[in-house]
Amino acid sequence: MFSWTTFLNSFGPLLGAAHFTLAVSVLGIALGLVIGTLICAARLSPAPALRRFAALWVSFLRGVPLLVQLLLVYYLLPVVGVDVPAMVAAVVTVGICASAYISEIWRGAIAALPKGQTEAAAAIGMAPVTQWMRIILPQAVVMSLPALVNELILLVKASSLVSVVGIMEITRASQAEAATTFRPLEVYLAAACLYLAINLCLAALGRFLERRMTV
């Protein structure tokens, strides 16, 4: 029979591991925003070499599963003499993977902007960097916010993969709890409820930010 006691008691250790899930997701998308912006700029660059590099970057990262990317980074860094904690390797991998999708989100939002705005800015002598900072990016952020929030929610769910390198996030904590209690159904159901609660909060935050930025 289903044990409500085990189900409720499972939230204690899972909540203790939730900060690792949030840390990997939030830091990963923050890194992904930085790299993704640079990749987007490269894809829109007039330089053919930069465009080809950015296209290859996006194609590779979108074509290789995140788990494989994580294992490659985790085992590659020691080979090249870089010894970092598993948490750092996880954040870097998640950020690099997210950058491919974020760059395409940026590119789609920028393509939807009226070209007359940048043409007018160039006509008055505004530098390209200033155009990006004052005209392009502010509008692109508003247009792409729903997609970025969706990407963050996907990263929260994908963060369960970092358990394979020993990070005690929600999924790994639930595996340990299930092995201790011998009640996997109750424990994994508690983990599912915790993931759902986190993602519902992120979706609500995204709707709030969207309303505020639209105003």
Side-chain angles (χ1 to χ4, degrees), residues 111-190:
L113 295 177
K115 292 184 178 180
Q117 296 185 20
T118 54
E119 291 174 352
I124 64 174
M126 186 177 291
V129 175
T130 307
Q131 293 179 31
W132 271 82
M133 298 303 297
R134 299 188 60 180
I135 297 176
I136 298 175
L137 283 182
Q139 296 183 80
V141 168
V142 175
M143 295 179 63
S144 60
L145 186 59
L148 291 175
V149 172
N150 184 62
E151 179 65 19
L152 177 56
I153 291 173
L154 290 175
L155 285 182
V156 170
K157 295 187 291 185
S159 67
S160 61
L161 297 175
V162 305
S163 61
V164 301
V165 294
I167 298 177
M168 188 58 71
E169 44 71 64
I170 295 175
T171 298
R172 190 169 181 86
S174 63
Q175 292 172 339
E177 187 69 12
T180 302
T181 61
F182 299 101
R183 307 289 299 190
L185 174 61
E186 291 86 345
V187 175
Y188 289 127
L189 181 59

Side-chain angles (χ1 to χ4, degrees), residues 14-165:
L14 296 186
L15 284 171
H19 67 282
F20 285 110
T21 294
L22 290 173
V24 170
S25 304
V26 173
L27 294 176
I29 200 167
L31 180 61
L33 283 169
V34 175
I35 301 176
T37 302
L38 297 176
I39 295 299
C40 177
R43 293 211 68 175
L44 300 175
S45 169
L50 286 177
R51 292 200 305 270
R52 286 193 292 269
F53 170 79
L56 180 62
W57 178 280
V58 172
S59 298
F60 176 80
L61 293 175
R62 291 200 304 180
V64 178
L66 176 58
L67 178 59
V68 177
Q69 295 178 35
L70 175 62
L71 294 174
L72 283 173
V73 171
Y74 184 71
Y75 290 109
L76 175 64
L77 290 178
V79 172
V80 297
V82 180
D83 188 13
V84 298
M87 186 69 178
V88 175
V91 170
V92 169
T93 305
V94 170
I96 290 175
C97 181
S99 70
Y101 298 92
I102 291 173
S103 69
E104 291 300 284
I105 292 173
W106 284 140
R107 193 163 70 97
I110 292 169
L113 295 177
K115 292 184 178 180
Q117 296 185 20
T118 54
E119 291 174 352
I124 64 174
M126 186 177 291
V129 175
T130 307
Q131 293 179 31
W132 271 82
M133 298 303 297
R134 299 188 60 180
I135 297 176
I136 298 175
L137 283 182
Q139 296 183 80
V141 168
V142 175
M143 295 179 63
S144 60
L145 186 59
L148 291 175
V149 172
N150 184 62
E151 179 65 19
L152 177 56
I153 291 173
L154 290 175
L155 285 182
V156 170
K157 295 187 291 185
S159 67
S160 61
L161 297 175
V162 305
S163 61
V164 301
V165 294

